[in-house]
Amino acid sequence: QTIVVSEATKRQMARWPGTKKKLTVVYNGLGQINFETRENARRKLFGENAAARGGIWLGTISELHKNKGLTYLFSALRTILDHGQGLSLEFLTAVVIGEGEERKNLERQIKALNLERIVFLVGHKDNAATLLLAFDVFTLTSITEAFPYVLLEAGLAGLPVVASAVGGVPEIIASMASGILIRPREPREIAQALEFLINRPEKRRQFGATLRRKIKTDLSTTKMVRRTIAVYDEANEDKKGRVYSD
């Protein structure tokens, strides 16, 4: 048996010779996170200047890598500022926690789009997930993913999510129920999804609460361990290729 982390990965691997009947989906699970309060999280990201930044905070935890699609997010932010209804530089703060090889290119894009006052690449942060309550909306605009653990963390924090419908992401996020799914490489769709959530605080609360329930109910560490043990226990039985969803 081979354990895969999503149905999407299972479909991809099923095309490999001799694997189709040997694949079992066991979703990643998440335990408890000791989140910082909103105020403390923002202070750890911006120091004492955090209190001066009002409005909506958009955020992500992401490697600065081409696969993460951050360039499309930044283009979407420019679109929002150019065409959004009454949104201004003072109203938005966009934070990227993480480091990587694309930093210089992303910094050049931020400057070219005149986004230096709202987009901040804050680099690596230890225990970054504990800072998630700093944000009002979480984004993951990747062009490829398997089953991103960071969405489980954002969900446990009760954040609404705007994410690309790639890999196993649609197995976590139900579009217009616990977040909004968009096509990869589509800045206009990202902009529309963000504007929808920015202008509807009740939807932000509703989507975040729905996702949090899913993470705690269906994607816990306890369930992941139980399902993994079941694969070992039943490895010699004729129950290949099923998803354990007890």
Side-chain angles (χ1 to χ4, degrees), residues 45-46 53 57-60 64 74 77 89 92-98 103 110 115-123 135:
L45 290 170
F46 278 95
R53 302 202 64 86
W57 283 45
L58 313 174
T60 189
L64 306 187
F74 299 161
L77 293 174
L89 289 172
L92 289 177
T93 297
V95 179
V96 179
I97 301 175
R103 171 175 279 275
I110 291 167
L115 294 174
E116 299 104 312
R117 289 169 59 191
I118 70 166
V119 176
F120 302 92
L121 308 180
V122 299
F135 306 140

Side-chain angles (χ1 to χ4, degrees), residues 161-230:
V161 171
V162 172
S164 302
V166 296
V169 171
E171 298 168 51
I172 304 171
I173 305 297
S175 196
M176 300 310 294
S178 58
I180 302 178
L181 296 179
I182 49 90
R183 291 178 296 174
R185 299 185 176 93
E186 291 288 345
R188 186 167 296 278
E189 288 192 17
I190 299 170
Q192 291 172 344
L194 289 175
E195 281 192 84
F196 179 89
L197 289 175
I198 287 169
N199 292 320
R200 293 170 176 82
E202 75 286 354
K203 287 295 183 183
R204 296 200 302 269
R205 290 190 292 269
Q206 178 186 326
F207 288 1
T210 300
L211 183 55
R212 189 171 189 270
R213 284 194 298 270
K214 179 178 178 61
I215 303 306
K216 291 178 72 69
T217 302
D218 299 333
L219 297 169
S220 67
T221 301
T222 300
K223 281 205 167 185
M224 178 183 69
V225 171
R226 187 182 302 136
R227 293 167 184 169
T228 303
I229 291 172

Side-chain angles (χ1 to χ4, degrees), residues 76-192:
L77 293 174
R78 186 68 261 171
T79 297
I80 291 173
L81 293 176
D82 289 341
H83 306 293
Q85 300 177 355
L87 298 179
S88 66
L89 289 172
E90 290 71 31
F91 189 76
L92 289 177
T93 297
V95 179
V96 179
I97 301 175
E99 198 51 82
E101 61 196 33
E102 282 293 297
R103 171 175 279 275
K104 292 298 183 183
N105 290 333
L106 292 172
E107 288 175 338
R108 281 192 287 269
Q109 183 192 14
I110 291 167
K111 184 175 182 180
L113 294 175
N114 194 25
L115 294 174
E116 299 104 312
R117 289 169 59 191
I118 70 166
V119 176
F120 302 92
L121 308 180
V122 299
H124 170 81
K125 299 291 181 183
D126 291 336
N127 302 313
T130 65
L131 305 177
L132 281 166
L133 292 184
F135 306 140
D136 298 292
V137 178
F138 188 85
T139 67
L140 189 71
T141 54
S142 305
I143 61 176
T144 181
E145 288 286 354
F147 194 82
Y149 198 77
V150 70
L151 287 188
L152 308 189
E153 296 171 333
L156 192 64
L159 296 179
V161 171
V162 172
S164 302
V166 296
V169 171
E171 298 168 51
I172 304 171
I173 305 297
S175 196
M176 300 310 294
S178 58
I180 302 178
L181 296 179
I182 49 90
R183 291 178 296 174
R185 299 185 176 93
E186 291 288 345
R188 186 167 296 278
E189 288 192 17
I190 299 170
Q192 291 172 344

